[in-house]
Amino acid sequence: MCGATSPAQRLLHGLCPRSPHPRCAAGRIWLDNVNCAGNEKSIRDCKHRGWGNSDCSHEEDAGVICKDERIPGFKDSNVIETEQSHVEEVRLRAVVSGSRRRLPVTEGIVEVRYKDGWAQICDEGWDSKNSRVICGMMGFPAEKKVNRNFYKLASKSQPKQKRREDVGPRKRLFAERQQLNYRLHSVSCTGTEVHISMCTFQFYRGNSSAACSSGMPAVVSCLPGPLFATGGAQKKKQRQQQQSQPRIRLKGGAKAGEGRVEVLKNNEWGTICDDRWNLLSASVVCRELGFGSAKEALTGARMGQGTGPIHLNEVQCLGTEKSLWSCPFKNITQEDCKHTEDAAVRCNIPYMGYENLIRLSGGRSRFEGRVEVAVGAAEGDEPRWGLVCGEGWGTLEAMVACRQLGLGFANHGLQETWYWDASNVTEMVLSGVKCAGHELSLSHCQHHGSSLNCRNTGTRFAAGVICSETASDLLLHAPLVQETAYIEDRPLHMLYCAAEENCLSSSARHANWPYGHRRLLRFSSQIHNNGRADFRPKAGRHSWVWHECHRHYHSMDIFTHYDILTPNGTKVAEGHKASFCLEDTECEAGGIVRLWGTVKLRVPAESPHAGAVAGTSRVLFLPADVAKRYECANFGEQGITVGCWDLYRHDIDCQWIDITDVKPGNYILQVVINPNFEVAESDFTNNAMKCNCKYDGHRIWVHSCHIGDALSEEASKRFEQYPGQLNNQIS
């Protein structure tokens, strides 16, 4: 294919001289002057000069650089999806009056979408395996036995009054009856299917209720997972599960029930290699965590790269296992798999209706705008829409709002939205919102309740969000801190700039300047971006602060906290570093895959060249370094590209903790990146790093450095109680 003018295609021109080159294809050039609108399903649907009609040579062969993101509707990707060829949409219709408004719906008649309405499934031969599949689709980990005789009353033609008397006051069926319209019968599942369309069944011909004369509509009752449980017994079960240490977790996902799969082995959290990763294994993970079956099994670190060991490889579950640890797997070495192959899942979760209680207004796209919430809807009244007070609104609150909206992560949480004044909603209805970041709805966060307490109640000061499908994820390279830590006694006359930027302890103000010295614990820090979006400062260039002494711009007030803590958590020394020169120091090799060569196409049947294939064309995958994007010199852009890291060497100012006033003893060195959550990340739990320290007044030993959530709870407790290194004592 030729006629290329894009930068990527111009790059190819330089590789193909007049003489043959291994990266240049041979054979026919089938397409020329290709002109696509962008919405075509195939390149053959684009405008072109006609098959085989070209005035190009192979030095003009077109190429592409593909983004490592799945485009919805295309199956050739690193997402393993459920095939829904026969039955696509399924629901549970509650027929008990008490369940009409309660979410999630855990029990009801199974219905499938048919034409413009819904149809039922005949329950002849229906068993618990079928129910298990339906519950998994609805977002529930397990099924439970249902009182079938009770539901027979729903399908019988009886007077409305008679039915109400028979059922009793506590379990009344809906007063309105619906004409039954059966769509499926003879459904037979093994219980491991992730969708009913993968089971064997038959379609009914016709739509009469007599088609299921010896049966009734299939009814299913499901057990919700702890996150969606209701009632006292379920809440107790939820607390018990939260108190016990889990051996599996999801990280890096924007929504509940999705993320990179991490498992706990030998008291250390690690990932799973995606070799042979499929929907059966993914469903075991989902059900073990209290969700339904797997909607998607993802490969290729689609939810971001993990850290630490890769514990499992070639996991091959049957689908009936209670835990992933019961599935066959292989132990692997670091050479077998890299974190670029970390496995992930997207699980089915129950419908909770949270997205109906929030909306955005005034934004330039559906991903941004002023936050409006509905109040009063829970009581069954007509919802009243109002604004959220922007006071105290930040990134964590915005993350919850974006999750509730189904829009992914939050780029920004905005406290003023005067530029989005495009709605007739002017009343503040919610204030004091304070979220931990993991909640499913703003109503689950702390807030002032019905009593509004907002200093600035005008629409100008309403909360807003800018959401994004992807986010960055920063983490510190812990071994480097351990390898480079040392003590320096630095003269005061060399610390004027550091004192001006508040990089010394408070006692330095009373020192006898310029005489004397400060004792500094110095170390290097290497901060990686393992997420799926670049890490950019929240503030734009117009608000960066110039520091004349060090002659650099600060793009964030606080980028990192450095603290010395006692084993019980008391802070005895602290340091901080503003993000001066936040840039790409180095990047990973082979992080981007480039696709080279001509397009290999089968010629359509109507073409005179039907049946021919450009068989001599070749596709080459050439690993290349991730390109650096951010360099802060000369007022350049600041940030950290995905796959790159920013290195702060031990010998630069403020890359230390002032320990002049620290007494000898055992301590914990703690480093926290992005401590004020100024910039959104897909995972804030890996932003802290801890090390054990032993300081004898002359030397310091730093050891056991690790990311804060890399170890089990038991190992973390042992770490905090560890007395310190007992060898290498000074005599």
Side-chain angles (χ1 to χ4, degrees):
M1 188 174 80
C2 80
T5 58
S6 70
Q9 293 159 345
R10 287 198 297 271
L11 177 64
L12 288 168
H13 295 172
L15 295 173
C16 300
R18 294 291 177 181
S19 58
H21 190 278
R23 291 177 185 169
C24 302
R28 293 287 299 272
I29 296 175
W30 290 111
L31 294 178
D32 188 8
N33 291 359
V34 178
N35 186 7
C36 301
N39 56 0
E40 295 86 355
K41 290 290 182 69
S42 170
I43 199 169
R44 71 181 66 187
D45 299 330
C46 302
K47 295 179 181 179
H48 51 79
R49 294 181 59 172
W51 291 93
N53 184 8
S54 167
D55 59 359
C56 283
S57 61
H58 279 298
E59 65 189 49
E60 300 173 84
D61 284 342
V64 296
I65 298 177
C66 299
K67 184 181 180 184
D68 185 24
E69 292 289 340
R70 174 178 169 271
I71 301 174
F74 287 79
K75 294 182 179 179
D76 294 334
S77 67
N78 52 358
V79 179
I80 306 165
E81 286 186 293
T82 307
E83 294 184 6
Q84 301 176 13
S85 55
H86 301 300
V87 179
E88 294 188 1
E89 199 171 347
V90 181
R91 74 175 185 182
L92 281 183
R93 180 169 62 87
V95 294
V96 179
S97 58
S99 304
R100 213 184 319 204
R101 291 174 183 159
R102 189 186 306 150
L103 291 175
V105 175
T106 59
E107 182 174 307
I109 293 176
V110 184
E111 296 187 330
V112 298
R113 175 72 73 179
Y114 180 53
K115 295 183 178 178
D116 295 329
W118 295 90
Q120 292 75 43
I121 302 174
C122 182
D123 76 341
E124 287 184 282
W126 191 271
D127 60 16
S128 61
K129 295 178 181 177
N130 297 350
S131 297
R132 175 178 170 84
V133 174
I134 295 296
C135 288
M137 293 173 60
M138 298 295 104
F140 304 114
E143 77 291 348
K144 66 179 181 178
K145 192 173 181 179
V146 66
N147 184 354
R148 187 173 180 272
N149 293 328
F150 166 70
Y151 281 91
K152 283 184 178 179
L153 296 170
S155 58
K156 289 182 179 179
S157 297
Q158 297 181 14
K160 187 183 300 182
Q161 185 65 31
K162 179 73 182 300
R163 288 203 317 274
R164 288 193 172 191
E165 292 171 358
D166 289 344
V167 174
R170 297 189 64 186
K171 287 189 174 181
R172 285 183 177 155
L173 300 179
F174 281 169
E176 63 272 14
R177 291 184 64 254
Q178 291 187 354
Q179 179 65 37
L180 298 177
N181 178 21
Y182 289 103
R183 174 64 175 155
L184 305 180
H185 69 98
S186 302
V187 177
S188 179
C189 304
T190 65
T192 61
E193 296 89 349
V194 297
H195 197 279
I196 193 173
S197 64
M198 303 173 73
C199 304
T200 59
F201 56 82
Q202 295 179 18
F203 287 106
Y204 273 118
R205 295 182 180 179
N207 58 3
S208 69
S209 58
C212 189
S213 56
S214 60
M216 55 175 275
V219 178
V220 165
S221 183
C222 306
L223 285 170
L227 195 60
F228 307 97
T230 57
Q234 294 286 359
K235 293 294 183 183
K236 182 179 179 182
K237 181 181 178 182
Q238 181 179 358
R239 286 194 299 269
Q240 290 173 348
Q241 290 197 8
Q242 288 174 343
Q243 289 170 0
S244 60
Q245 169 72 4
R247 295 189 66 199
I248 188 168
R249 68 186 184 186
L250 300 181
K251 298 292 287 290
K255 304 174 185 176
E258 70 175 33
R260 179 179 61 255
V261 182
E262 296 190 352
V263 293
L264 185 65
K265 184 179 181 183
N266 298 328
N267 285 325
E268 189 173 8
W269 287 99
T271 61
I272 297 176
C273 188
D274 63 12
D275 293 348
R276 299 200 177 187
W277 186 246
N278 60 23
L279 284 166
L280 287 176
S281 300
S283 289
V284 172
V285 170
C286 291
R287 291 182 187 270
E288 184 178 356
L289 289 169
F291 304 109
S293 52
K295 185 164 47 178
E296 294 174 348
L298 298 97
T299 61
R302 279 297 304 276
M303 290 291 179
Q305 296 183 33
T307 58
I310 301 173
H311 285 317
L312 307 179
N313 189 22
E314 295 191 19
V315 179
Q316 298 181 64
C317 300
L318 299 175
T320 57
E321 297 87 351
K322 295 289 186 183
S323 170
L324 188 74
W325 291 101
S326 303
C327 302
F329 61 85
K330 290 184 179 179
N331 294 313
I332 63 172
T333 61
Q334 196 63 31
E335 289 73 30
D336 294 329
C337 199
K338 306 296 182 186
H339 280 298
T340 53
E341 302 170 75
D342 285 340
V345 297
R346 283 195 178 102
C347 307
N348 288 312
I349 64 171
Y351 174 73
M352 300 298 295
Y354 293 137
E355 70 278 10
N356 298 324
L357 305 176
I358 187 172
R359 67 189 185 191
L360 300 182
S361 67
R364 297 163 295 181
S365 72
R366 68 186 186 93
F367 284 91
E368 66 179 29
R370 180 180 290 161
V371 177
E372 298 179 359
V373 295
V375 294
E379 291 78 20
D381 302 328
E382 189 68 24
R384 178 169 56 96
W385 289 94
L387 304 175
V388 180
C389 178
E391 186 179 336
W393 183 267
T395 302
L396 295 180
E397 291 71 33
M399 294 285 269
V400 175
C402 291
R403 180 183 299 115
Q404 185 176 353
L405 288 158
L407 297 178
F409 304 99
N411 261 350
H412 298 293
L414 307 167
Q415 296 186 358
E416 291 189 29
T417 53
W418 52 269
Y419 38 81
W420 283 336
D421 197 10
S423 172
N424 57 1
V425 176
T426 58
E427 181 188 4
M428 292 276 186
V429 296
L430 196 62
S431 64
V433 179
K434 186 174 180 58
C435 303
H438 56 74
E439 296 88 349
L440 300 179
S441 167
L442 286 178
S443 61
H444 298 167
C445 302
Q446 297 179 27
H447 55 86
H448 288 155
S450 57
S451 58
L452 193 73
N453 184 8
C454 188
R455 282 182 295 184
N456 301 306
T457 56
T459 56
R460 171 192 178 103
F461 301 102
V465 295
I466 300 176
C467 304
S468 173
E469 292 178 320
T470 57
S472 60
D473 185 20
L474 297 188
L475 59 142
L476 198 65
H477 185 58
L480 184 64
V481 176
Q482 184 169 312
E483 293 164 6
T484 57
Y486 65 98
I487 287 178
E488 179 192 8
D489 289 334
R490 193 164 183 82
L492 282 173
H493 68 83
M494 300 177 67
L495 292 171
Y496 278 104
C497 277
E500 182 182 311
E501 295 198 18
N502 198 29
C503 295
L504 301 175
S505 64
S506 57
S507 64
R509 301 192 193 100
H510 310 295
N512 187 21
W513 292 81
Y515 309 105
H517 67 274
R518 305 297 294 179
R519 176 158 287 187
L520 309 175
L521 170 58
R522 311 196 70 151
F523 50 86
S524 298
S525 62
Q526 188 171 294
I527 299 154
H528 292 245
N529 182 2
N530 279 15
R532 297 169 58 208
D534 293 353
F535 183 91
R536 299 295 308 279
K538 182 177 181 179
R541 289 195 199 188
H542 62 282
S543 57
W544 293 357
V545 179
W546 172 256
H547 280 248
E548 181 65 32
C549 192
H550 282 133
R551 301 195 63 77
H552 54 241
Y553 282 95
H554 285 194
S555 55
M556 294 172 65
D557 290 337
I558 300 293
F559 178 58
T560 314
H561 275 170
Y562 303 143
D563 299 314
I564 296 291
L565 311 173
T566 63
N568 65 6
T570 304
K571 189 185 298 185
V572 295
E574 64 181 358
H576 80 278
K577 178 164 51 54
S579 63
F580 59 86
C581 254
L582 188 65
E583 63 181 1
D584 297 325
T585 307
E586 294 292 339
C587 299
E588 296 174 0
I592 293 178
V593 176
R594 287 191 171 91
L595 178 68
W596 302 87
T598 56
V599 179
K600 187 172 183 178
L601 296 172
R602 185 168 297 279
V603 181
E606 62 272 15
S607 168
H609 306 286
V613 175
T616 54
S617 64
R618 63 174 61 185
V619 175
L620 299 177
F621 292 92
L622 301 178
D625 293 348
V626 178
K628 298 179 182 179
R629 295 184 183 179
Y630 304 106
E631 185 176 3
C632 64
N634 300 319
F635 199 37
E637 288 288 351
Q638 294 196 21
I640 306 177
T641 306
V642 175
C644 300
W645 58 87
D646 191 4
L647 175 64
Y648 289 90
R649 287 175 50 89
H650 58 85
D651 54 359
I652 65 174
D653 267 7
C654 298
Q655 187 58 36
W656 62 55
I657 301 177
D658 184 350
I659 62 170
T660 306
D661 307 316
V662 175
K663 299 177 181 178
N666 298 312
Y667 298 99
I668 294 173
L669 165 62
Q670 179 176 276
V671 179
V672 184
I673 309 165
N674 192 17
N676 297 334
F677 312 112
E678 286 189 49
V679 179
E681 299 184 45
S682 60
D683 184 8
F684 287 112
T685 61
N686 59 10
N687 282 26
M689 184 220 68
K690 293 182 178 181
C691 304
N692 276 124
C693 293
K694 181 176 177 62
Y695 175 50
D696 66 357
H698 304 283
R699 304 187 206 175
I700 197 163
W701 291 268
V702 177
H703 57 98
S704 304
C705 294
H706 64 276
I707 299 299
D709 69 339
L711 305 179
S712 67
E713 291 178 4
E714 180 185 353
S716 294
K717 290 177 182 177
R718 288 204 307 266
F719 169 86
E720 293 170 358
Q721 296 169 357
Y722 189 73
Q725 198 165 324
L726 300 180
N727 57 354
N728 291 334
Q729 295 294 318
I730 297 176
S731 57

